[in-house]
Amino acid sequence: MLVVIAAAIGVFFLARFHDYAFAGVLLWAFYGVYVARPDAATVVTGVAIAAVIVVLGALLSLRTRRTAL
């Protein structure tokens, strides 16, 4: 599932750069994928898993603090 790979990359960017706008764009794109194919069960499942991964990554990213070099 390509959306799950995109979610993993998004979580990496969240953890590394704390870029919440990127996570928002990913969620928006996942919603667009869902709207395009709401009848395909594999697409709906992949989008749901990817969205959960991004949201959990964002919540974990909020909990971690960035330290100065």
Side-chain angles (χ1 to χ4, degrees), residues 7 10-15 18-24 27 50-64:
V11 169
F12 169 75
F13 276 99
L14 278 170
H18 296 275
D19 190 0
Y20 300 105
F22 187 75
L27 291 175
V52 167
I53 290 171
V54 170
V55 169
L56 288 177
L59 292 174
L60 290 174
S61 179
L62 282 173
R63 293 186 70 195
T64 60

Side-chain angles (χ1 to χ4, degrees), residues 1-12 14 22-34 41-59:
M1 299 281 207
L2 193 56
V3 292
V4 176
I5 294 170
I9 293 170
V11 169
F12 169 75
L14 278 170
F22 187 75
V25 168
L26 278 176
L27 291 175
W28 181 29
F30 296 159
Y31 178 71
V33 170
Y34 167 73
T42 56
V43 172
V44 173
T45 304
V47 167
I49 291 170
V52 167
I53 290 171
V54 170
V55 169
L56 288 177
L59 292 174

